[in-house]
Amino acid sequence: MKIAGLDIGTTGCKCTVFDENGKYLGKAYRDYPVSRKASGHDIDVSMIMSGVYGAIGEMAAQYPDIGGIGVTSFGETFVFTDEEGTPLHTSMVYTDPRGAEECRELSEKLGERNIAHITGLRPHEMYSIPKMMYIKKHHPEVYAQAKHAFLMQDYVVYHLTGKAQIDYSLATRTMAFDIRSYNWSKEVFDAAGIDISLMSAVVPTGTEAGFVTENAAKETGLSPETRVVSISHDQVSSAIGAGAFDGSVAVDGAGTTECLTPIYDSMPDIDVMFDGYYSVVPYVVPGTYVAYAFTYTGGALVDWCISNFAKQEKELAKAEGISVNTYLEKQHTGQKPTGLLVLPHFAGAATPYMDTGAKGAILNLSAGTELPELYRGCLEGVAYEIYLNYRHLLGSGICFKRLNATGGGAYSAEWTQMKADILNLPITSLKTVDAGTVGSAMLTGIAIGLFTDLSDAAEKMVEETVTYTPDPEMHKKYMEIYEKYEKAYDAVRPLV
């Protein structure tokens, strides 16, 4: 019997298959368009379903004995549908500016901190409930026809099984879920003027929804005996796939964005989280929570540096049979920080600022600055930003003593050692780049009986490679630079 993880992203979806022992077998990917205009950022969710059917179908043709498939997705984006699940409008993604006025109205009615204490989120128009209010106000004919309000996970699960259910972690991304009672917040829905009965039933992360329907089996090629599992918001799935299950360990997700995900063994201090725009999200172990501390440009900043300045180095690296990243890392000599201050806000500043108007900056350049130094400065900037978030979170109740690293950046020994030195914590790199898919498959395997529990699933599917221990002397050197770095945002922001 095989297990599969379905990961639904903003621009595409992938279906990854593993055998009964957790060994990776293969994956299929389908993309779909997102329309970005000045007036709004939309996605046609019917195209998501087409992509899902295509990706699952490709894998089902190769592995007809898929016994379970878990569904994880990006957050916030929702769609009103009719009874059959047919979308009634195009959907706004989280970057869409619409809903800002409605978010202010909701905050005035309930109070920002009150909303945060209920939902674990500082109010922002990116979340679902202000955008539902926007649809009701500006497109009342759509709202009048609505029978369901789905986020992407429960939208797909409904089409595969006919059951409307959503897990706790994704429900949180609506800004209308009570993280203490683990249910929809009547107080928030009443204040928003949105019918709470439109929402799917909320269930614990990793809850089975049932077998695929006859139509879904026909569309995908799955067996009618295939079971579907509601997994989680994609960031939660990544933490599970990184083998982090309690407060002693956090996750460093080193992908296009850089995300630090600490785990809390009990409710964190909501007021501290509020001040830094940190989300509080129910986790897979009952009574525990995770938070997201992130910068919009992690690997994306490194790619920017390479694409714009390393054209010759790409060719030289190719001639040596190594990556351009490795080539540039080899060119930098000396065990000391560059001294550059690279603000990684090239796509705006995320936590603890949540400032979309912020811009990137590179300070302390000289005529002697060369590309390897600039490249390393970009690595340092991302690491300093994560350390800044770590410092902000210290008063919230974090207690982790080490990190597990996933994503493409985890393959860089230079960068991972740098993070260990700056944070002054050991970091263990994991073999898998795609921890989210692994986490989805782990919970699917548990739900259908292939694995007994999280420890059993992690033993089979989470593989550690190398642990980087911090160098106290390097930490001291980095902290001398960090004292300047933490002042850089306030110095640069009034100028841009």
Side-chain angles (χ1 to χ4, degrees):
M1 182 188 295
K2 309 299 187 300
I3 50 177
L6 179 67
D7 184 4
I8 304 160
T10 53
T11 59
C13 65
K14 61 188 169 191
C15 181
T16 309
V17 178
F18 302 82
D19 69 14
E20 60 275 7
N21 296 311
K23 179 184 177 182
Y24 168 83
L25 297 176
K27 68 179 177 182
Y29 178 82
R30 296 290 187 279
D31 58 14
Y32 30 78
V34 175
S35 172
R36 297 183 186 274
K37 302 175 183 176
S39 58
H41 303 164
D42 294 317
I43 186 168
D44 181 350
V45 299
S46 64
M47 298 297 291
I48 291 180
M49 208 61 229
S50 296
V52 165
Y53 285 146
I56 294 176
E58 183 178 334
M59 287 292 95
Q62 298 178 49
Y63 307 103
D65 60 337
I66 294 175
I69 182 165
V71 184
T72 184
S73 80
F74 66 103
E76 298 89 42
T77 298
F78 81 97
V79 63
F80 286 128
T81 77
D82 63 15
E83 190 61 54
E84 286 70 42
T86 304
L88 299 172
H89 59 101
T90 56
S91 294
M92 295 174 273
V93 297
Y94 73 98
T95 54
D96 193 295
R98 289 171 290 182
E101 181 181 338
E102 288 73 20
C103 188
R104 286 191 295 272
E105 291 172 2
L106 190 59
S107 297
E108 288 170 2
K109 287 182 181 179
L110 296 178
E112 284 195 334
R113 287 191 183 268
N114 181 40
I115 291 173
H117 277 268
I118 295 169
T119 69
L121 306 176
R122 183 166 177 167
H124 195 280
E125 62 266 22
M126 78 168 76
Y127 300 118
S128 313
I129 198 73
K131 287 178 165 44
M132 290 183 189
M133 295 167 65
Y134 178 92
I135 292 288
K136 182 180 179 181
K137 181 189 294 183
H138 296 278
H139 302 281
E141 73 288 354
V142 170
Y143 183 78
Q145 297 177 66
K147 300 299 180 184
H148 295 281
F150 290 122
L151 275 71
M152 294 306 100
Q153 177 204 87
D154 49 327
Y155 171 74
V156 170
V157 168
Y158 185 75
H159 279 270
L160 292 178
T161 68
K163 190 167 186 178
Q165 69 175 41
I166 184 172
D167 94 287
Y168 296 161
S169 68
L170 190 62
T172 302
R173 306 309 291 176
T174 61
M175 202 180 86
F177 179 76
D178 190 321
I179 59 172
R180 289 177 173 80
S181 68
Y182 299 103
N183 212 333
W184 297 117
S185 170
K186 186 176 183 301
E187 183 177 359
V188 173
F189 276 95
D190 285 349
I194 300 297
D195 184 356
I196 200 170
S197 69
L198 295 171
M199 308 306 294
S200 298
V202 288
V203 296
T205 295
T207 296
E208 182 184 335
F211 296 105
V212 294
T213 63
E214 182 179 341
N215 180 68
K218 180 181 178 182
E219 291 279 358
T220 61
L222 291 169
S223 161
E225 299 303 309
T226 303
R227 289 182 275 177
V228 178
V229 183
S230 298
I231 302 297
S232 65
H233 183 220
D234 51 15
Q235 291 293 350
V236 165
S237 184
S238 292
I240 295 165
F245 306 129
D246 62 45
S248 67
V249 59
V251 180
D252 172 41
T256 302
T257 62
E258 183 86 12
C259 185
L260 173 67
T261 307
I263 298 163
Y264 295 83
D265 295 323
S266 59
M267 181 71 71
D269 187 315
I270 297 295
D271 289 315
V272 172
M273 307 302 274
F274 177 93
D275 291 339
Y277 290 91
Y278 300 110
S279 306
V280 180
V281 183
Y283 195 41
V284 62
V285 178
T288 65
Y289 298 84
V290 295
Y292 308 143
F294 63 101
T295 177
Y296 291 125
T297 50
L301 178 60
V302 178
D303 290 344
W304 170 85
C305 180
I306 290 171
S307 297
N308 286 281
F309 305 113
K311 293 178 173 61
Q312 181 182 1
E313 287 74 13
K314 282 183 180 179
E315 296 302 318
L316 294 171
K318 186 177 180 180
E320 289 190 29
I322 59 176
S323 72
V324 65
N325 305 72
T326 301
Y327 180 87
L328 289 169
E329 288 169 6
K330 287 170 59 179
Q331 303 306 305
H332 183 82
T333 58
Q335 289 296 307
K336 62 178 182 179
T338 64
L340 296 178
L341 301 177
V342 180
L343 275 177
H345 303 158
F346 283 53
T351 57
Y353 310 111
M354 292 307 290
D355 179 4
T356 56
K359 303 296 182 182
I362 303 174
L363 308 177
N364 211 22
L365 288 167
S366 72
T369 302
E370 297 183 342
L371 179 58
E373 190 177 5
L374 177 61
Y375 174 84
R376 185 178 173 87
C378 289
L379 302 182
E380 290 174 347
V382 174
Y384 286 140
E385 190 78 351
I386 290 301
Y387 184 67
L388 183 144
N389 276 279
Y390 170 68
R391 293 287 297 269
H392 272 262
L393 286 166
L394 284 174
S396 69
I398 56 170
C399 59
F400 60 88
K401 304 300 181 185
R402 62 186 181 90
L403 294 95
N404 286 352
T406 67
Y411 287 141
S412 169
E414 186 87 5
W415 201 6
T416 309
Q417 182 63 58
M418 178 191 297
K419 292 174 186 175
D421 292 340
I422 289 175
L423 272 74
N424 204 27
L425 292 168
I427 302 179
T428 299
S429 290
L430 304 181
K431 185 175 182 180
T432 180
V433 171
D434 191 1
T437 298
V438 170
S440 182
M442 286 167 62
L443 290 187
T444 302
I446 293 169
I448 69 172
L450 282 182
F451 309 136
T452 55
D453 53 24
L454 285 170
S455 296
D456 181 37
E459 186 176 341
K460 291 181 171 68
M461 299 192 69
V462 180
E463 186 175 346
E464 298 181 355
T465 56
V466 59
T467 296
Y468 300 85
T469 56
D471 181 329
E473 286 302 311
M474 285 300 294
H475 176 70
K476 183 178 179 181
K477 292 176 182 178
Y478 279 122
M479 290 304 96
E480 292 173 359
I481 308 299
Y482 174 76
E483 287 182 6
K484 302 173 184 177
Y485 177 86
E486 65 180 349
K487 301 172 185 175
Y489 170 81
D490 289 334
V492 170
R493 186 63 180 95
L495 306 176
V496 298

